[in-house]
Amino acid sequence: MPSVAFFGSHPLGERCLDELTGHDAFDVELVVTYGPDEDTWWDGCLYDRAQQLGHRVRTRADEREVLDYDVDYLVSVYYPNILGEELLDHPTVAPLNLHQAELPRYRGSNVFSHAIMNARDDDHWRYGTTLHVMAPEVDAGDIVARRFVPIEETDTARTLYDRVTEASVDLFREQLTTLRDGAVHRVATPQSAYNGERYFYTKESLDGEKAIPVERLADDDEATQLAVYDKIRALDFPPFEPAYTELSGRRLYLTATNYDDLFGGATVPNFGVEDDPVAATQD
């Protein structure tokens, strides 16, 4: 029976741990996550959920305790720390990460926002989630599987996040068979085999992006209006501060709701949820 150390957070981490625990083929040796009293913006607590499921749980400060356990897999789902090579080398089969973005197109952070802002210029109206082998370089390891959802004209970063969460759970559930059979390295594809644009965004990549000059809001050029509309949607992710403009020293917040009636006739390609069975030819 393959053994697993699970590192994670967010509601997605809870749901994936539920899937892993409910699968008879795996033994969860340890769960590492935020402490139960830490302040987080999302609902739920993986620490509490792991305890309810009967698992050993440690906080991020004690993540190196995983080295005391023999595990076949280290599985990361929304774990915030960058893991060093000693931790990555510890599992006997593979360290795996469920990255809520399309690799190799979008590495790093804030990818929901950037994908919306890039979709029109790139004519790339889909958003992915990726299970990949972890490497020392962030989000750069071989790809095990991907799944896609559409980016809609009316999406905000939060609605896209919610939609791809469902696809991520489906992908994780499906790939548990790959882990059970020890087939990860047999099916994994190097990122160099993929075509298409490649972006890397840091956690600071949205700094300074939220202020939109009132002159830009008033510009009647269609391309400018669409760019502003896309940015407002891309920065609309409650509970975080949205885009804003300033008038007479007052900050006015801008959300996608303000623009609902301006681009109702715009069209985009209608992609359905799809798998990616032939990885090297899909971009």
Side-chain angles (χ1 to χ4, degrees), residues 23 63 77 118 143 157 168 199:
H23 201 295
E63 65 181 20
V77 180
N118 292 339
I143 291 171
S168 297
Y199 300 96

Side-chain angles (χ1 to χ4, degrees), residues 23-46:
H23 201 295
D24 293 337
F26 298 95
D27 180 17
V28 179
E29 290 283 357
L30 188 70
V31 175
V32 183
T33 184
Y34 287 83
D37 298 323
E38 290 190 65
D39 187 22
T40 57
W41 62 264
W42 57 85
D43 294 329
C45 176
L46 179 58

Side-chain angles (χ1 to χ4, degrees), residues 159-172:
T159 63
L160 186 57
Y161 165 89
D162 291 338
R163 184 182 307 122
V164 81
T165 292
E166 298 305 315
S168 297
V169 173
D170 290 342
L171 177 67
F172 187 81

Side-chain angles (χ1 to χ4, degrees), residues 17-241:
L17 182 61
D18 285 344
E19 293 289 340
L20 189 61
T21 303
H23 201 295
D24 293 337
F26 298 95
D27 180 17
V28 179
E29 290 283 357
L30 188 70
V31 175
V32 183
T33 184
Y34 287 83
D37 298 323
E38 290 190 65
D39 187 22
T40 57
W41 62 264
W42 57 85
D43 294 329
C45 176
L46 179 58
Y47 190 100
D48 290 342
R49 183 59 182 155
Q51 285 193 324
Q52 292 168 5
L53 293 170
H55 300 311
R56 301 183 190 91
V57 194
R58 299 292 184 269
T59 63
R60 294 174 296 153
D62 296 319
E63 65 181 20
R64 290 181 60 80
E65 284 193 28
V66 73
L67 300 175
D68 296 333
Y69 297 89
D70 294 328
V71 295
D72 297 300
Y73 297 100
L74 191 159
V75 176
S76 171
V77 180
Y78 264 130
Y79 189 68
N81 297 1
I82 296 175
L83 302 180
E85 290 192 38
E86 187 176 12
L87 288 173
L88 296 180
D89 290 341
H90 182 64
T92 58
V93 179
L96 298 169
N97 180 49
L98 184 60
H99 178 63
Q100 278 208 291
E102 175 186 351
L103 291 178
R105 188 178 191 89
Y106 286 114
R107 295 172 53 220
S109 303
N110 299 316
V111 283
F112 294 99
S113 296
H114 290 293
I116 290 174
M117 287 190 283
N118 292 339
R120 198 177 304 278
D121 286 344
D122 289 354
D123 194 25
H124 192 79
W125 294 91
R126 71 176 189 177
Y127 189 88
T129 182
T130 307
L131 182 68
H132 70 99
V133 179
M134 283 193 282
E137 189 177 1
V138 174
D139 298 333
D142 294 352
I143 291 171
V144 176
R146 305 187 299 181
R147 180 174 271 260
F148 296 94
V149 299
I151 298 175
E152 303 287 1
E153 179 79 18
T154 54
D155 267 327
T156 65
R158 186 58 190 260
T159 63
L160 186 57
Y161 165 89
D162 291 338
R163 184 182 307 122
V164 81
T165 292
E166 298 305 315
S168 297
V169 173
D170 290 342
L171 177 67
F172 187 81
R173 181 188 306 116
E174 292 167 0
Q175 293 305 313
L176 287 178
T177 302
T178 303
L179 274 65
R180 180 198 64 193
D181 296 343
V184 166
H185 293 293
R186 186 169 70 249
V187 303
T189 303
Q191 294 195 23
S192 59
Y194 291 77
N195 299 318
E197 297 289 341
R198 299 184 183 219
Y199 300 96
F200 176 81
Y201 296 105
T202 67
K203 291 181 179 180
E204 296 76 35
S205 60
L206 295 180
D207 291 357
E209 290 290 328
K210 294 185 178 182
I212 302 178
V214 67
E215 295 81 12
R216 188 165 175 79
L217 287 172
D219 196 318
D220 61 2
D221 174 72
E222 181 179 7
T224 301
Q225 287 190 348
L226 285 170
V228 170
Y229 169 63
D230 292 340
K231 176 173 280 194
I232 289 172
R233 294 188 298 119
L235 297 175
D236 192 345
F237 196 118
F240 299 104
E241 183 183 47

